[in-house]
């Protein structure tokens, strides 16, 4: 088995247990807003410490983009708390979260 296949299997969202999918999405709907808020505060702290030292294009602009994405994710996941979702919606959200995790993780690391 190649490394890429191992990584894919690790992050794969299995769709054979609909009740588990819904439970995972429900649990994430409570955790993701808190996690994005903490991540945003951390990013603001890093930008603050580099403000005036690094160019604004490396502090303010990336921070604004990443905070906007995080705010959107907080709103989307917060809405999930207030209504029941089906297995198809849960699967779509979980897979989307996996994809976005790689993108956001890279963005915050850069």
């Amino acid at each position: 088995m190649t490394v890429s296949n191992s990584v894919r299997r690790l992050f794969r969202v299995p769709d054979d247990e609909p009740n588990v999918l819904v439970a995972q999405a429900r649990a994430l709907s409570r955790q993701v807003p808190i996690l994005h808020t903490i991540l945003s505060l951390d990013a603001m702290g890093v930008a603050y410490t580099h403000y005036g030292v690094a160019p604004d294009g490396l502090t303010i602009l990336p921070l604004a983009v990443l905070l906007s994405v995080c705010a959107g994710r907080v709103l989307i996941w917060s809405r999930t708390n207030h209504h029941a979702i089906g297995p198809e919606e849960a699967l779509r959200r979980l897979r989307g979260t996996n994809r976005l995790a790689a993108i956001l993780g890279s963005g915050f690391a850069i």
Side-chain angles (χ1 to χ4, degrees), residues 39-90:
L39 184 62
S40 297
L41 291 171
D42 288 343
M44 286 188 291
V46 170
Y48 176 77
T49 61
H50 290 82
Y51 184 73
V53 177
D56 288 347
L58 295 176
T59 55
I60 305 298
L61 183 62
L63 179 66
V65 170
L66 293 170
L67 290 179
S68 299
V69 172
C70 283
R73 296 294 293 168
V74 166
L75 290 174
I76 289 168
W77 277 101
S78 294
R79 290 185 193 155
T80 305
N81 276 338
H82 305 301
H83 65 81
I85 61 171
E88 297 84 19
E89 175 73 11

Side-chain angles (χ1 to χ4, degrees), residues 1-11:
M1 180 180 292
T2 65
V3 173
S4 64
N5 285 341
S6 296
V7 171
R8 270 194 210 115
R9 276 191 51 225
L10 181 64
F11 290 101

